[in-house]
Amino acid sequence: NTKLNYYVHTRLPHMDMSIFMKFLTALVASKGVKFLKLNKKLENFEIEVLQCKLIPEKFDVYINCTGLGSRQLFNDTNMVPLRGQVCHVHAPSIQAFYNLEPNVYLIPRLNGICIVGGVFDENNSSLQVDPEVKKRILDGAKQVFPDFDASA
């Protein structure tokens, strides 16, 4: 158990991306923006089609939302996974963003849920929950909020 030496408490405008992205998508679609969404593994032929034909040079702006798929799709060797781990807990009393030491953060949502997270493992693409990391994250939150109920 690591002792907490400091933390940062900040009130900032915060966007819940699950809400904001729906709004933003509808807004830009109403302006004529087209979206391409692929929910399957790309075969080599499809990758070539996407690379050559769907990204004409005449575009003023291109927003690449392929995430780690950019490594394969655009041969982007600078794209590396950055593993994070979060817990969603019911904590309506938390109304501000907290950045705690060591490497733990709390982000409140509008619905009383708080995102508690804090791991940044570069070049780690594991999707498995690490129980030790989960315990460290939740214990860190309890140092600032002793009544924090991580079981919720």
Side-chain angles (χ1 to χ4, degrees):
N1 219 0
T2 305
K3 184 176 180 193
L4 182 69
N5 294 317
Y6 71 88
Y7 70 91
V8 176
H9 165 261
T10 310
R11 284 198 176 272
L12 299 169
H14 171 70
M15 284 184 264
D16 183 336
M17 293 310 289
S18 66
I19 296 169
F20 181 67
M21 286 307 292
K22 291 174 188 170
F23 163 77
L24 186 59
T25 301
L27 177 66
V28 297
S30 73
K31 308 286 185 196
V33 172
K34 303 285 187 233
F35 293 90
L36 173 65
K37 185 175 180 181
L38 301 171
N39 290 319
K40 63 178 187 163
K41 184 177 178 185
L42 299 174
E43 301 298 328
N44 287 337
F45 174 75
E46 292 171 306
I47 291 171
E48 290 173 14
V49 168
L50 286 172
Q51 287 173 336
C52 299
K53 296 185 179 173
L54 291 180
I55 309 172
E57 292 181 17
K58 67 180 180 180
F59 287 146
D60 294 327
V61 176
Y62 170 73
I63 300 172
N64 177 358
C65 298
T66 58
L68 286 177
S70 291
R71 287 188 301 187
Q72 183 181 13
L73 188 58
F74 299 104
N75 196 26
D76 185 350
T77 58
N78 292 319
M79 180 63 73
V80 296
L82 182 63
R83 183 181 180 279
Q85 185 168 314
V86 298
C87 304
H88 289 206
V89 297
H90 185 71
S93 64
I94 297 176
Q95 295 293 311
F97 168 80
Y98 289 84
N99 189 14
L100 314 176
E101 176 201 285
N103 199 16
V104 174
Y105 57 84
L106 292 88
I107 303 172
R109 290 275 177 98
L110 295 175
N111 58 2
I113 298 297
C114 184
I115 299 171
V116 184
V119 80
F120 303 99
D121 292 336
E122 194 169 328
N123 287 314
N124 183 343
S125 58
S126 172
L127 299 177
Q128 300 302 312
V129 172
D130 182 331
E132 290 179 18
V133 170
K134 180 179 179 180
K135 181 178 179 345
R136 180 187 61 76
I137 290 169
L138 295 174
D139 285 349
K142 287 178 190 175
Q143 287 186 45
V144 176
F145 300 99
D147 298 330
F148 185 77
D149 183 8
S151 65

